[in-house]
Amino acid sequence: MKAGSSSRRRRFLNLRAFLHAWRKLAAAQAAAGEWAHPDGGVGGEAIPKDVPRGHTVVYVGEELRRHVVRVSSLDHPLFRELLDRARDEYGFAAADARLCIPCDEDVFLAVLCHVDADRESRMALCS
């Protein structure tokens, strides 16, 4: 097995576990009437009403401050490190199924700035 394929498989399993936990939360919130269904119908995937398409919610720091981030950011190496730490600290079997990031909020915001800067530089190269 190639060294890179092991890393890709681990990353896939982490994202898969995150999506499973998020779907579990979405089902519970939809049952409580707090989330909207994207197609306006009953059942299927639900998203928070105030979260734009292509984004998700994470809770950061000791005070669990809510942040909305791009789903594409989850695949950045720095963000993956934060997800790995969250998995190690909390696991993905939390009762409320919220994605909590166990780091200082300033560190989290610095990671987001770096992820956004990388994204913008790649987009500038493509135009």
Side-chain angles (χ1 to χ4, degrees):
M1 182 184 293
K2 296 180 183 176
S5 66
S6 173
S7 173
R8 280 188 293 249
R9 178 166 170 71
R10 187 184 78 178
R11 190 173 47 201
F12 171 76
L13 292 175
N14 287 343
L15 289 174
R16 185 175 171 195
F18 163 73
L19 290 173
H20 174 73
W22 189 82
R23 285 183 181 126
K24 186 176 173 183
L25 174 64
Q29 294 295 329
E34 296 176 21
W35 292 26
H37 294 280
D39 61 359
V42 178
E45 300 271 330
I47 56 174
K49 292 179 181 178
D50 64 337
V51 176
R53 175 174 246 131
H55 292 71
T56 191
V57 176
V58 296
Y59 297 88
V60 180
E62 290 181 16
E63 296 182 16
L64 296 178
R65 291 190 188 251
R66 183 179 187 260
H67 292 272
V68 177
V69 298
R70 286 184 190 92
V71 171
S72 61
S73 299
L74 300 177
D75 198 36
H76 190 278
L78 289 175
F79 208 101
R80 281 196 315 260
E81 179 62 30
L82 293 178
L83 291 174
D84 288 344
R85 289 181 185 184
R87 181 199 62 224
D88 294 344
E89 175 111 3
Y90 304 119
F92 286 110
D96 61 5
R98 295 186 299 179
L99 179 58
C100 301
I101 305 290
C103 74
D104 185 66
E105 190 173 11
D106 292 333
V107 171
F108 176 77
L109 294 174
V111 167
L112 280 185
C113 285
H114 186 76
V115 168
D116 287 343
D118 279 358
R119 181 177 171 269
E120 288 175 9
S121 67
R122 282 194 309 265
M123 290 178 69
L125 292 174
C126 294
S127 57

